[in-house]
Amino acid sequence: MPVIAPRPDHDDRFFWDGVAEGRLLVRACADCGHVQHPPTPMCPACQSLRWEPREVTGRGTVLAWIASKHPSAPDAEPRIVVLVQLDDGPRLVANLYGADTSWAINDLAVEATFVEIDGIRLPGFQPARGAA
Amino acid sequence: MSLPPRQTAIVGIGATEFSKNSGRSELQLAAEAVKAALDDAGLRPADVDGLVSFVQDTNDELRLIRSVGIEQVTWASRTPFGGGGAMSTVQHAAAAIVSGAAEVVVIWRAFNERSGHRFGQPAQGPTQAGMSWHTPFGLDTPAKMYSLWFQGYMHRYGLTNEDFGRYAVVARRHAATNPKAWFYEQPITLDDHQSSRWIVEPIVRLLDCCQESDGGVALVVTSAERARHLAQPPVLVEAAAQSSVLAGDVLFNYYHDDLATFPEASHVADQLWRASGLSPADVDVAMIYENFSPIVFYLLEAYGFCGPGEAKDFIADGQIDLTGSLPVNTHGGLLGEAYIHGVNSIQEAVRQIRRTAVNQVAGAEVALATAGRSAVLLTRA
């Protein structure tokens, strides 16, 4: 199953531009500081339209995970999908590398990494150094 | 705010057969279901002046009007959220009637969802707008999208897939005695469930998934006053509600503080109890929209039928069986009867209140039909 490419638009192009540079950016309101992810055009806290990208460390904790593979058809390498609570940012969905389903994935400490699959650059996570 | 209680009623129900290959157009399925529901109510197409469905139905209102012979429609609307909006169709219909915008409203849902476009198949690129956060990472089917949420629940309360299997066994047992169910006379055991293939490991197996079905279902709603003069005993709309909240998402419900809760469903439940003056203990039978079995666990808890984390034991103890304190999905649900996006479950709630269900709950006075972010409470006149 080929990777479905992200489709950047007005409201999230900053994020994918950051991924291309190996930086994890979230959207913070320039007026009240509210961080909004997934991003929206208007700040839901103060209705501002002014945003600034904020770089986050990419360190966080796995809240939930699944093994993603097609149940009946031949497939590419199964991917682990994780929902991560960033230490200094919002929640982010991405794939987990450097671990398999035999790990205790819930509550695992992770850090961001960047990968290229089928020519598409994506953010991902890997076990944080020192995590087992 | 809520609708005034007991001002409207479901007076007709109708459906096609449920199959995997209907052999006819979705428009024909819709027309057949609407005609059957009108016949059931003792009404004619010319009596209809309102139409309600929900998003993703391919049948255009005007084509349905032309097919059925409806003369003029003064109210037409569709509710959002796909299947999650299934039960707010009744809210729309009731609101139209109470406001005077329409007098006889038909709700329909019709699909060739197995022989035609299959919702359960992986999405192909390009990513749909707003989905860049999820689909590139492999969340390309509803089963995967929902499972990432469900896993948070499993982790919190220490469930395994076997716990979900106990729901699937109940649904299939109910379907086994329902001649209209696709899985009529085909009950399963927990072993059957546990040996079915993984759809999303370690969350849901094949037998946790709703079917893909071809078929159509329709309901007729009118005022409680007019209902008294029609063919069937009126089934009153006691309360109908929906909820959308700031942190919510339909397919990717990952952004609420607690993954083990379903806040929209709790808000809907609060609205129902407040509007009706009823409480969970008053509900005699419940139809719970289950795209996948884990959602039943969230909803039993969100509605207060059991406490947080207790759904596992509630189900294992037999409380959702026909002999339990809250029989659930007595038609077999979307797993066992068919997947007509939950409108077939509203129909079963109506049958329970009419006391004509094949798996009748004795003395049913109050029936709930819920699709998580929308729900309806039905009572006897």
Side-chain angles (χ1 to χ4, degrees):
Chain A
M1 193 69 54
V3 169
I4 297 176
R7 196 175 71 178
D9 63 19
H10 277 291
D11 301 323
D12 61 22
R13 190 173 305 280
F14 73 92
F15 180 89
W16 300 103
D17 288 347
V19 168
E21 299 168 5
R23 299 166 71 206
L24 205 54
L25 302 176
V26 298
R27 186 170 238 197
C29 176
D31 288 305
C32 77
H34 175 81
V35 172
Q36 180 78 337
H37 184 85
T40 51
M42 181 175 284
C43 173
C46 76
Q47 291 72 49
S48 169
L49 295 170
R50 301 196 313 127
W51 296 98
E52 51 198 18
R54 177 183 296 176
E55 185 160 7
V56 292
T57 62
R59 286 192 288 274
T61 307
V62 175
L63 297 178
W65 66 277
I66 63 163
S68 172
K69 68 183 191 69
H70 195 282
S72 54
D75 197 0
E77 197 65 18
R79 290 188 280 170
I80 298 175
V81 186
V82 286
L83 173 66
V84 169
Q85 177 66 58
L86 295 172
D87 291 346
D88 58 348
R91 291 178 185 176
L92 206 60
V93 170
N95 296 123
L96 178 66
Y97 301 94
D100 60 50
T101 56
S102 70
W103 287 48
I105 299 174
N106 286 99
D107 303 320
L108 183 69
V110 294
E111 60 190 20
T113 181
F114 294 89
V115 298
E116 192 164 312
I117 306 173
D118 302 342
I120 298 163
R121 196 161 165 80
L122 295 173
F125 291 98
Q126 60 192 15
R129 277 153 289 189
Chain B
M1 293 297 293
S2 59
L3 286 167
R6 305 170 70 85
Q7 296 298 301
T8 58
I10 298 178
V11 295
I13 57 177
T16 67
E17 81 288 356
F18 305 133
S19 75
K20 302 298 178 185
N21 186 358
S22 74
R24 51 209 197 272
S25 69
E26 294 181 328
L27 185 59
Q28 181 170 339
L29 296 176
E32 288 180 28
V34 170
K35 177 65 164 61
L38 289 170
D39 287 348
D40 182 59
L43 289 166
R44 297 169 302 121
D47 294 317
V48 176
D49 58 1
L51 287 175
V52 176
S53 188
F54 40 120
V55 293
Q56 297 168 338
D57 199 292
T58 61
N59 292 300
D60 174 79
E61 281 77 356
L62 279 170
R63 295 178 70 210
L64 186 60
I65 288 168
R66 288 184 59 227
S67 299
V68 176
I70 297 166
E71 288 176 5
Q72 183 180 209
V73 161
T74 57
W75 174 277
S77 63
R78 294 192 178 208
T79 68
F81 316 133
M87 310 313 174
S88 41
T89 54
V90 179
Q91 184 196 32
H92 274 222
I97 292 159
V98 169
S99 72
E103 190 176 353
V104 175
V105 179
V106 164
I107 294 166
W108 90 89
R109 193 64 159 171
F111 270 118
N112 285 325
E113 218 237 291
R114 179 59 181 82
S115 67
H117 174 68
R118 299 176 63 183
F119 286 15
Q121 291 296 298
Q124 307 294 319
T127 296
Q128 293 179 44
M131 288 196 174
S132 293
W133 308 106
H134 307 109
T135 47
F137 306 102
L139 298 179
D140 57 0
T141 63
K144 292 181 191 175
M145 296 167 187
Y146 276 87
S147 286
L148 188 61
W149 178 36
F150 297 153
Q151 203 273 334
Y153 180 93
M154 294 174 78
H155 178 63
R156 164 67 63 85
Y157 295 119
L159 273 70
T160 67
N161 172 262
E162 192 175 307
D163 294 308
F164 298 144
R166 293 196 174 83
Y167 166 73
V169 168
V170 173
R172 292 290 296 269
R173 188 187 307 137
H174 294 170
T177 51
N178 171 8
K180 293 195 166 73
W182 176 255
F183 285 121
Y184 178 52
E185 296 183 329
Q186 295 176 70
I188 59 167
T189 65
L190 192 57
D191 283 345
D192 294 333
H193 176 273
Q194 287 296 291
S195 52
S196 70
R197 71 175 184 265
W198 283 115
I199 299 300
V200 182
E201 190 175 1
I203 322 298
V204 293
R205 295 180 183 274
L206 178 65
L207 294 180
D208 291 305
C209 299
C210 68
Q211 298 178 46
E212 297 175 294
S213 302
D214 287 10
V217 178
L219 313 168
V220 184
V221 184
T222 191
S223 66
E225 169 60 28
R226 185 162 181 180
R228 291 195 286 129
H229 309 291
L230 296 178
Q232 303 293 339
V235 174
L236 295 173
V237 179
E238 187 76 37
Q242 60 178 301
S243 173
S244 306
V245 297
L246 187 57
D249 194 300
V250 176
L251 294 170
F252 312 101
N253 212 357
Y254 313 144
Y255 303 100
H256 290 301
D257 287 343
D258 187 348
L259 290 176
T261 64
F262 192 167
E264 293 90 340
S266 298
H267 297 320
V268 168
D270 289 345
Q271 291 178 56
L272 295 184
W273 309 141
R274 201 166 54 239
S276 66
L278 298 171
S279 73
D282 295 315
V283 177
D284 298 307
V285 58
M287 306 306 146
I288 298 181
Y289 184 111
E290 85 294 31
N291 48 5
F292 306 102
S293 10
I295 202 76
V296 174
F297 292 62
Y298 280 92
L299 288 172
L300 288 171
E301 295 172 15
Y303 278 81
F305 295 121
C306 59
E310 293 175 2
K312 170 168 74 86
D313 296 331
F314 191 78
I315 291 171
D317 291 347
Q319 299 300 332
I320 68 165
D321 297 359
L322 293 176
T323 53
S325 61
L326 181 76
V328 168
N329 291 340
T330 47
H331 56 328
L334 310 183
L335 268 59
E337 188 186 62
Y339 184 55
I340 314 298
H341 283 194
V343 181
N344 52 317
S345 300
I346 306 176
Q347 198 168 49
E348 172 71 358
V350 170
R351 283 190 294 256
Q352 287 287 349
I353 296 300
R354 287 182 180 176
R355 314 253 171 97
T356 59
V358 288
N359 295 318
Q360 182 63 45
V361 173
E365 298 277 346
V366 180
L368 168 71
T370 171
R373 58 195 72 239
S374 66
V376 57
L377 263 183
L378 303 177
T379 55
R380 280 174 74 83

